[in-house]
Amino acid sequence: DIHDWVKDPAAIYAQSFSTIRDEVELETLPEALRDVVVRITHACGMTDVVDDLSWSDGAAEAGIKALADGAPILVDAEMVAHGIIGRKLPRANRVICTLNDPSVAEAAKSLGTTRSAMAVELWRPHLEGAVVAIGNAPTALFHLLELMEEGAPRPALVLGFAVGFVGAAESKEALIQSGLPFIALRGRRGGSAMAAAAVNALAGGLE
Amino acid sequence: DIHDWVKDPAAIYAQSFSTIRDEVELETLPEALRDVVVRITHACGMTDVVDDLSWSDGAAEAGIKALADGAPILVDAEMVAHGIIGRKLPRANRVICTLNDPSVAEAAKSLGTTRSAMAVELWRPHLEGAVVAIGNAPTALFHLLELMEEGAPRPALVLGFAVGFVGAAESKEALIQSGLPFIALRGRRGGSAMAAAAVNALAGGLE
C-alpha cells in the first residue's frame, strides 16, 4: 500500500543509519571515519562503497578540525555545494564553487582545457588549510595536484570522489600517491552526493 | 604521470561515451532510450545500472516530446536542478524546485511529514504534462503517487531515481505499478546525478 510509507524524517534517518550499521562493517574503521562511511553509503544506497574507500592516516580528524576552525570548503561543482547542509557547518564555513565564474569558460577555451580544471586556478587564494571536495571532475583533481607540485598552499584535506570513465580512477590514484591528506573512493564510482555527504559527516556527524 | 591527463572536454566526452558503448549492451533497448542509458551510466560510473532500469512503453519518446513542447521540469532537490544543463533545454523549460519554498518546512513539521513530500504539494499547478525528476527523496515520489490517486493532473513522464535504504526501492516499485509513464532505477541505487542525466539526455541527447 502506497500510504504506508514512513513520513517522520527523524525516523527515516534513524532507520537508514541502522540498516547501514547492520550491513556495513564499521568496527574495523578508524573511529573518526565511521560517520563519513555511514553518510557516504546513505547518499548512494550502496553498502559496498566502503570496500573501495581509501584514506590517509588522520584524514577524518584533519577535516573535522579544519571545519571547526572555520576553513572554507572548495567544491568542483554546484551539485556538491547544494548537497552540503548549511546548518551543519560549525562556523558557517564558506562554500566556494568557482566553476561558473565569468572568467572561467573563456580561459578554458583559449587554453584548451576543461572549465573544471580552469576553475581550480581560482582556488589559489583559498587553498591554505581548506577542505577540498571533488564530486565530479577528474580534471579538477588533476589540476589541483599540479598546483601542489608547483608549491601552492596545501589544503587540510582533499575528498576525492571524481566519477566516470576518463581519468576518474587515475586522478584518485594520483591523489592517494600525492602525500596530501585525503579520503577517496577508488575506481569509477563517485559523485557529488558522496562528496557532499563526506563534508556533512565531517561537519556534523550523523546529527 | 599526472600531466598526461586528457584536457580537451570534447575528447573526454567522446572517450567516455565510447567506453560506455563498448561495455553496455544498448542494441536491445528501445532506440529513444539509449541516450538516456548512456548519460545515466556516465553520471554514476557504473555500467550495470542498465540491469536495474525499468520503463513504460514509449517513456523516452514522451519525455522528449514534452520537453520539446516546453513542459516544465519538476525536481525534488536542488542538486537535481543544478545537474540539468540549461543550454540543452529545447524551450528554456522552467526547472521548478519547491523544496526550499518558505512555506514548506513549517507545513511539513506541523503535518508530521518530510519537507520533500510537502514540497510536492506545491507542484499541483505545474503537474499537467510536466516532466518530473525525482533524484533523492522516496517520500516525494510516494506523495506524488498519492496526488495521482486523488485525481491530480498527470505528468508526461516521471523519472524515478529516489535513492537509499528507506522507501527508495518501494517507492519506485509503486511508480512502476502506477500506470504513469516512467523511467526508473529499481532498488536502492539512484541519485540526483542520474535524474539530471536522464533529463539532459531527453533534452539534448548526447550532444
Side-chain angles (χ1 to χ4, degrees):
Chain A
D1 186 323
I2 71 160
H3 307 285
D4 284 346
W5 49 283
V6 185
K7 291 186 169 57
D8 174 35
I12 294 170
Y13 270 103
Q15 193 177 324
S16 295
F17 293 157
S18 162
T19 300
I20 293 166
R21 281 197 201 87
D22 286 347
E23 297 189 24
V24 179
E25 174 79 42
L26 295 170
E27 292 68 26
T28 57
L29 298 169
E31 199 171 338
L33 199 70
R34 292 176 196 171
D35 289 355
V36 175
V37 170
V38 170
R39 277 207 178 268
I40 291 171
T41 305
H42 178 247
C44 68
M46 297 182 286
T47 54
D48 68 341
V49 283
V50 67
D51 301 335
D52 293 336
L53 202 71
S54 180
W55 60 89
S56 56
D57 275 353
E61 291 88 342
I64 291 166
K65 181 175 186 315
L67 293 177
D69 290 346
I73 302 159
L74 301 170
V75 303
D76 69 325
E78 286 290 343
M79 288 182 79
V80 181
H82 285 85
I84 294 172
I85 306 170
R87 67 177 186 281
K88 290 195 186 300
L89 298 174
R91 295 281 297 275
N93 309 243
R94 269 186 80 188
V95 178
I96 299 171
C97 180
T98 54
L99 186 64
N100 294 316
D101 186 278
S103 67
V104 164
E106 200 172 335
K109 205 166 204 177
S110 74
L111 292 170
T113 190
T114 65
R115 287 198 303 132
S116 293
M118 189 53 54
V120 169
E121 276 295 315
L122 304 185
W123 290 2
R124 289 179 186 269
H126 312 290
L127 275 172
E128 176 110 52
V131 171
V132 172
I134 305 275
N136 180 35
T139 60
L141 184 47
F142 275 128
H143 192 55
L144 176 71
L145 298 175
E146 290 181 334
L147 293 189
M148 295 299 110
E149 282 197 345
E150 291 171 19
R154 286 166 65 90
L157 177 64
V158 180
L159 301 166
F161 293 89
V163 60
F165 296 89
V166 176
E170 297 83 350
S171 64
K172 291 179 287 188
E173 292 303 321
L175 169 63
I176 291 167
Q177 301 301 323
S178 71
L180 287 168
F182 73 91
I183 301 172
L185 190 69
R186 293 187 126 127
R188 290 170 169 179
R189 290 190 296 182
S192 47
M194 289 192 241
V199 172
N200 293 335
L202 297 170
L206 301 183
E207 295 309 303
Chain B
D1 183 325
I2 68 159
H3 307 286
D4 283 346
W5 47 283
V6 184
K7 289 186 169 60
D8 173 36
I12 293 170
Y13 270 102
Q15 194 178 322
S16 295
F17 293 157
S18 162
T19 300
I20 293 166
R21 281 198 200 88
D22 286 348
E23 296 189 24
V24 179
E25 175 79 41
L26 296 170
E27 291 68 26
T28 56
L29 299 169
E31 198 171 340
L33 198 71
R34 293 177 195 170
D35 289 354
V36 174
V37 170
V38 170
R39 279 209 175 265
I40 291 172
T41 306
H42 178 248
C44 68
M46 298 183 286
T47 53
D48 67 342
V49 282
V50 67
D51 301 336
D52 294 336
L53 203 70
S54 181
W55 60 88
S56 57
D57 274 353
E61 291 87 343
I64 291 166
K65 180 173 188 315
L67 294 176
D69 289 346
I73 303 160
L74 300 171
V75 303
D76 69 326
E78 286 290 343
M79 290 183 78
V80 180
H82 284 85
I84 294 172
I85 306 171
R87 67 177 186 283
K88 289 194 187 302
L89 297 175
R91 296 278 298 273
N93 308 245
R94 270 185 81 187
V95 178
I96 299 171
C97 181
T98 54
L99 186 64
N100 294 315
D101 187 278
S103 68
V104 165
E106 199 173 334
K109 205 168 205 175
S110 75
L111 292 171
T113 191
T114 66
R115 287 199 303 129
S116 293
M118 191 51 55
V120 169
E121 276 294 314
L122 305 184
W123 290 2
R124 288 180 186 268
H126 312 289
L127 274 172
E128 174 110 52
V131 172
V132 171
I134 307 275
N136 182 37
T139 59
L141 184 47
F142 275 127
H143 193 55
L144 176 71
L145 297 176
E146 290 181 334
L147 294 190
M148 294 300 110
E149 282 197 345
E150 293 172 18
R154 287 165 64 90
L157 177 65
V158 179
L159 301 166
F161 293 89
V163 62
F165 296 88
V166 177
E170 296 83 351
S171 65
K172 291 179 287 188
E173 292 304 322
L175 169 63
I176 291 167
Q177 300 301 323
S178 70
L180 285 169
F182 73 91
I183 301 171
L185 190 70
R186 292 187 127 126
R188 292 170 168 180
R189 291 190 296 181
S192 47
M194 288 192 242
V199 172
N200 292 334
L202 297 171
L206 303 182
E207 295 308 304

